[in-house]
Amino acid sequence: MTSGLWELVLQGVWVTIQLLVLSTLLAAAVSFVVGVARTHRLWIVRFLAGFYTEVFRGTSALIMIFWVFFVLPITFGWQLVPLWAATLALGLTYGAYGSEIVRGALNAVDPAQKEGGIALSFTPWQRLRLILLPQAVPEMIPPFSNLLVELLKGTALVSVIGMGDLAFSGNLVRLALQESAEIYTYVLLIYFVIAFLLTRGMRGLERKLKAGAGKQSGSAARAPEPVVAEAVR
């Protein structure tokens, strides 16, 4: 390929990375808010959070991108640029999957930990911040790592609304050179390299969080009493 075509591909990589970062931030925020809401003591809060999760898990990410980009302006008069439309669609969709990861990790914490926080007259927010999340977050990292890779692959869907991401740029280069095998092999390798770097980074984060929580990677959770005692300090 010529330098100009390589520059086009690199521009696509940059757009993909921007979209990945923005949609990841939105998905992470949605995951924690909705996931925590699904463990709330009020049934109406759990119902609304569960309704959101089921709706966005049960719809296609591709159709959601179409809906946000084409239907939202007609319905509400809000015309979003492709980057923000794609970020909103992907963030809300993958955030629904992430909320189940958060809910499952919070529910997996030993009930004695919650009871210890109640016995110490902690507020629900204090129990969540000081007792539950420090133990649950390290266990969320492996499934979140898989979800992040899925989100990376999901960014290729935005090419259908004309965003110049990696998939869109690769297709333009393919049309220019009429070399499908070579171009798509390069595109596959680029996606693989990005995914590999993401998984390695998430593994490093997992080790750091588990070490900070007084764990060794792959070891069992600590006994309940030290965790509650640490929260009291």
Side-chain angles (χ1 to χ4, degrees):
M1 288 194 298
T2 64
S3 59
L5 293 177
W6 272 115
E7 183 178 350
L8 180 62
V9 172
L10 292 177
Q11 289 175 353
V13 172
W14 173 238
V15 171
T16 294
I17 291 175
Q18 289 183 79
L19 178 58
L20 177 64
V21 171
L22 293 173
S23 55
T24 296
L25 292 175
L26 177 58
V30 170
S31 296
F32 277 91
V33 171
V34 178
V36 171
R38 296 206 67 187
T39 65
H40 201 274
R41 65 181 184 276
L42 296 179
W43 74 267
I44 185 63
V45 177
R46 296 196 304 272
F47 172 78
L48 292 175
F51 179 76
Y52 165 84
T53 301
E54 295 303 323
V55 168
F56 279 88
R57 283 197 311 174
T59 53
S60 166
L62 177 61
I63 303 303
M64 187 59 65
I65 292 172
F66 280 137
W67 195 91
V68 172
F69 190 66
F70 293 110
V71 179
L72 195 62
I74 299 174
T75 307
F76 300 101
W78 300 338
Q79 180 63 64
L80 299 176
V81 297
L83 177 62
W84 295 116
T87 297
L88 184 62
L90 292 176
L92 292 177
T93 300
Y94 285 89
Y97 291 97
S99 67
E100 283 295 279
I101 296 174
V102 174
R103 182 190 64 82
L106 290 175
N107 286 337
V109 175
D110 193 330
Q113 300 286 348
K114 306 174 188 178
E115 295 168 3
I118 295 172
L120 293 169
S121 300
F122 282 3
T123 64
W125 167 244
Q126 287 176 320
R127 293 198 298 271
L128 177 67
R129 181 173 60 89
L130 299 174
I131 298 176
L132 300 180
L133 284 180
Q135 298 174 79
V137 168
E139 307 306 325
M140 300 177 193
I141 299 301
F144 266 133
S145 179
N146 291 333
L147 188 61
L148 185 58
V149 173
E150 289 299 318
L151 178 54
L152 168 65
K153 294 186 287 187
T155 60
L157 298 174
V158 304
S159 60
V160 298
I161 59 173
M163 273 195 68
D165 71 312
L166 177 57
F168 186 84
S169 300
N171 189 52
L172 290 182
V173 175
R174 180 190 68 83
L175 293 174
L177 298 180
Q178 296 297 311
E179 288 289 344
S180 299
E182 178 185 359
I183 301 306
Y184 283 130
T185 299
Y186 286 144
V187 172
L188 281 175
L189 289 174
I190 293 172
Y191 275 115
F192 171 77
V193 169
I194 297 174
F196 179 78
L197 294 176
L198 289 175
T199 54
R200 298 302 297 179
M202 293 294 281
R203 286 181 184 177
L205 178 61
E206 180 186 5
R207 288 194 295 269
K208 182 177 180 180
L209 289 175
K210 286 190 174 182
K215 300 178 181 179
Q216 296 296 328
S217 182
S219 65
R222 292 186 297 173
E225 294 79 3
V227 179
V228 176
E230 183 70 22
V232 176
R233 296 175 184 174

